[in-house]
mmCIF file of all heavy atoms in Angstrom:
data_model
loop_
_atom_site.group_PDB
_atom_site.id
_atom_site.type_symbol
_atom_site.label_atom_id
_atom_site.label_comp_id
_atom_site.label_asym_id
_atom_site.label_seq_id
_atom_site.Cartn_x
_atom_site.Cartn_y
_atom_site.Cartn_z
ATOM 1 N N PRO W 79 -12.184 3.263 0.039
ATOM 2 C CA PRO W 79 -13.703 3.482 -0.089
ATOM 3 C C PRO W 79 -13.876 4.986 -0.107
ATOM 4 O O PRO W 79 -13.167 5.784 0.467
ATOM 5 C CB PRO W 79 -14.191 2.918 1.243
ATOM 6 C CG PRO W 79 -13.125 2.675 2.165
ATOM 7 C CD PRO W 79 -11.901 2.682 1.294
ATOM 8 N N LYS W 80 -14.987 5.334 -0.896
ATOM 9 C CA LYS W 80 -15.309 6.828 -0.966
ATOM 10 C C LYS W 80 -16.078 7.408 0.193
ATOM 11 O O LYS W 80 -16.079 8.594 0.432
ATOM 12 C CB LYS W 80 -16.086 7.159 -2.287
ATOM 13 C CG LYS W 80 -17.497 6.471 -2.311
ATOM 14 C CD LYS W 80 -18.118 6.746 -3.694
ATOM 15 C CE LYS W 80 -19.519 6.300 -3.893
ATOM 16 N NZ LYS W 80 -19.702 4.899 -3.744
ATOM 17 N N ASP W 81 -16.759 6.549 0.947
ATOM 18 C CA ASP W 81 -17.430 6.957 2.226
ATOM 19 C C ASP W 81 -17.549 5.742 3.163
ATOM 20 O O ASP W 81 -17.117 4.604 2.800
ATOM 21 C CB ASP W 81 -18.778 7.547 1.854
ATOM 22 C CG ASP W 81 -19.709 6.715 1.026
ATOM 23 O OD1 ASP W 81 -19.693 5.324 1.186
ATOM 24 O OD2 ASP W 81 -20.496 7.142 0.191
ATOM 25 N N GLU W 82 -18.322 6.037 4.259
ATOM 26 C CA GLU W 82 -18.411 5.025 5.329
ATOM 27 C C GLU W 82 -19.249 3.794 4.879
ATOM 28 O O GLU W 82 -18.985 2.652 5.201
ATOM 29 C CB GLU W 82 -19.021 5.589 6.635
ATOM 30 C CG GLU W 82 -17.901 6.463 7.270
ATOM 31 C CD GLU W 82 -18.274 6.813 8.675
ATOM 32 O OE1 GLU W 82 -19.391 6.545 9.164
ATOM 33 O OE2 GLU W 82 -17.504 7.568 9.422
ATOM 34 N N GLU W 83 -20.296 4.147 3.967
ATOM 35 C CA GLU W 83 -21.054 2.901 3.576
ATOM 36 C C GLU W 83 -20.345 2.153 2.580
ATOM 37 O O GLU W 83 -20.523 0.889 2.766
ATOM 38 C CB GLU W 83 -22.353 3.658 2.912
ATOM 39 C CG GLU W 83 -23.328 4.284 3.817
ATOM 40 C CD GLU W 83 -23.686 3.312 5.040
ATOM 41 O OE1 GLU W 83 -24.053 2.104 4.841
ATOM 42 O OE2 GLU W 83 -23.554 3.805 6.217
ATOM 43 N N GLU W 84 -19.485 2.696 1.749
ATOM 44 C CA GLU W 84 -18.673 1.757 0.991
ATOM 45 C C GLU W 84 -17.699 1.040 1.728
ATOM 46 O O GLU W 84 -17.349 -0.106 1.419
ATOM 47 C CB GLU W 84 -18.050 2.601 -0.136
ATOM 48 C CG GLU W 84 -17.415 1.715 -1.220
ATOM 49 C CD GLU W 84 -16.772 2.543 -2.388
ATOM 50 O OE1 GLU W 84 -16.147 3.516 -2.188
ATOM 51 O OE2 GLU W 84 -17.066 2.021 -3.491
ATOM 52 N N ALA W 85 -17.144 1.633 2.868
ATOM 53 C CA ALA W 85 -16.208 0.930 3.724
ATOM 54 C C ALA W 85 -16.919 -0.286 4.354
ATOM 55 O O ALA W 85 -16.368 -1.447 4.387
ATOM 56 C CB ALA W 85 -15.562 1.902 4.673
ATOM 57 N N LYS W 86 -18.147 -0.117 4.780
ATOM 58 C CA LYS W 86 -18.823 -1.173 5.372
ATOM 59 C C LYS W 86 -19.140 -2.293 4.332
ATOM 60 O O LYS W 86 -19.064 -3.494 4.683
ATOM 61 C CB LYS W 86 -20.194 -0.724 5.991
ATOM 62 C CG LYS W 86 -19.861 0.222 7.180
ATOM 63 C CD LYS W 86 -21.305 0.872 7.644
ATOM 64 C CE LYS W 86 -20.962 1.965 8.666
ATOM 65 N NZ LYS W 86 -22.274 2.530 9.026
ATOM 66 N N ALA W 87 -19.528 -1.965 3.178
ATOM 67 C CA ALA W 87 -19.793 -2.889 2.145
ATOM 68 C C ALA W 87 -18.628 -3.690 1.765
ATOM 69 O O ALA W 87 -18.605 -4.926 1.679
ATOM 70 C CB ALA W 87 -20.317 -2.231 0.884
ATOM 71 N N MET W 88 -17.376 -3.008 1.796
ATOM 72 C CA MET W 88 -16.145 -3.681 1.446
ATOM 73 C C MET W 88 -15.928 -4.752 2.587
ATOM 74 O O MET W 88 -15.414 -5.977 2.336
ATOM 75 C CB MET W 88 -14.951 -2.712 1.443
ATOM 76 C CG MET W 88 -14.845 -2.128 0.008
ATOM 77 S SD MET W 88 -13.328 -1.009 -0.016
ATOM 78 C CE MET W 88 -13.652 -0.162 -1.445
ATOM 79 N N LEU W 89 -15.959 -4.326 3.831
ATOM 80 C CA LEU W 89 -15.694 -5.305 4.946
ATOM 81 C C LEU W 89 -16.672 -6.409 4.979
ATOM 82 O O LEU W 89 -16.165 -7.541 5.189
ATOM 83 C CB LEU W 89 -15.726 -4.579 6.204
ATOM 84 C CG LEU W 89 -14.548 -3.521 6.439
ATOM 85 C CD1 LEU W 89 -14.839 -2.586 7.664
ATOM 86 C CD2 LEU W 89 -13.235 -4.333 6.618
ATOM 87 N N ARG W 90 -17.754 -6.321 4.574
ATOM 88 C CA ARG W 90 -18.917 -7.370 4.471
ATOM 89 C C ARG W 90 -18.352 -8.345 3.282
ATOM 90 O O ARG W 90 -18.400 -9.587 3.475
ATOM 91 C CB ARG W 90 -20.135 -6.959 4.081
ATOM 92 C CG ARG W 90 -20.911 -6.104 5.224
ATOM 93 C CD ARG W 90 -22.241 -5.771 4.886
ATOM 94 N NE ARG W 90 -22.710 -4.732 5.833
ATOM 95 C CZ ARG W 90 -22.864 -3.485 5.600
ATOM 96 N NH1 ARG W 90 -22.827 -2.991 4.325
ATOM 97 N NH2 ARG W 90 -23.281 -2.658 6.500
ATOM 98 N N ILE W 130 -18.196 -4.483 12.242
ATOM 99 C CA ILE W 130 -17.855 -3.812 11.166
ATOM 100 C C ILE W 130 -18.339 -2.264 11.375
ATOM 101 O O ILE W 130 -17.633 -1.255 11.245
ATOM 102 C CB ILE W 130 -18.739 -4.302 9.821
ATOM 103 C CG1 ILE W 130 -18.107 -5.558 9.367
ATOM 104 C CG2 ILE W 130 -18.824 -3.223 8.722
ATOM 105 C CD1 ILE W 130 -19.009 -6.278 8.397
ATOM 106 N N VAL W 134 -15.515 0.938 11.440
ATOM 107 C CA VAL W 134 -15.665 1.995 10.625
ATOM 108 C C VAL W 134 -15.968 3.337 11.353
ATOM 109 O O VAL W 134 -15.227 4.324 11.117
ATOM 110 C CB VAL W 134 -16.819 1.701 9.582
ATOM 111 C CG1 VAL W 134 -17.016 3.018 8.750
ATOM 112 C CG2 VAL W 134 -16.444 0.658 8.587
ATOM 113 N N PRO W 139 -11.707 4.156 8.059
ATOM 114 C CA PRO W 139 -10.830 3.472 7.136
ATOM 115 C C PRO W 139 -10.911 3.960 5.722
ATOM 116 O O PRO W 139 -10.574 3.256 4.696
ATOM 117 C CB PRO W 139 -11.083 2.065 7.233
ATOM 118 C CG PRO W 139 -12.550 2.125 7.440
ATOM 119 C CD PRO W 139 -12.771 3.322 8.431
ATOM 120 N N LEU W 140 -11.208 5.300 5.511
ATOM 121 C CA LEU W 140 -11.434 5.752 4.181
ATOM 122 C C LEU W 140 -10.088 5.949 3.411
ATOM 123 O O LEU W 140 -10.201 6.087 2.173
ATOM 124 C CB LEU W 140 -12.174 6.986 4.245
ATOM 125 C CG LEU W 140 -13.658 6.936 4.824
ATOM 126 C CD1 LEU W 140 -14.355 8.273 4.723
ATOM 127 C CD2 LEU W 140 -14.446 5.739 4.252
ATOM 128 N N GLY W 144 -9.050 -1.482 0.527
ATOM 129 C CA GLY W 144 -9.821 -2.538 1.189
ATOM 130 C C GLY W 144 -10.497 -2.210 2.528
ATOM 131 O O GLY W 144 -11.124 -2.964 3.136
ATOM 132 N N ALA W 145 -10.446 -0.859 2.801
ATOM 133 C CA ALA W 145 -11.253 -0.321 3.961
ATOM 134 C C ALA W 145 -10.661 -0.748 5.360
ATOM 135 O O ALA W 145 -11.522 -0.930 6.278
ATOM 136 C CB ALA W 145 -12.703 -0.487 3.769
#
Side-chain angles (χ1 to χ4, degrees):
K80 67 179 183 296
D81 56 31
E82 288 189 358
E83 289 309 309
E84 188 173 45
K86 292 173 192 176
M88 281 186 189
L89 290 166
R90 287 182 199 108
I130 291 170
V134 170
L140 302 184

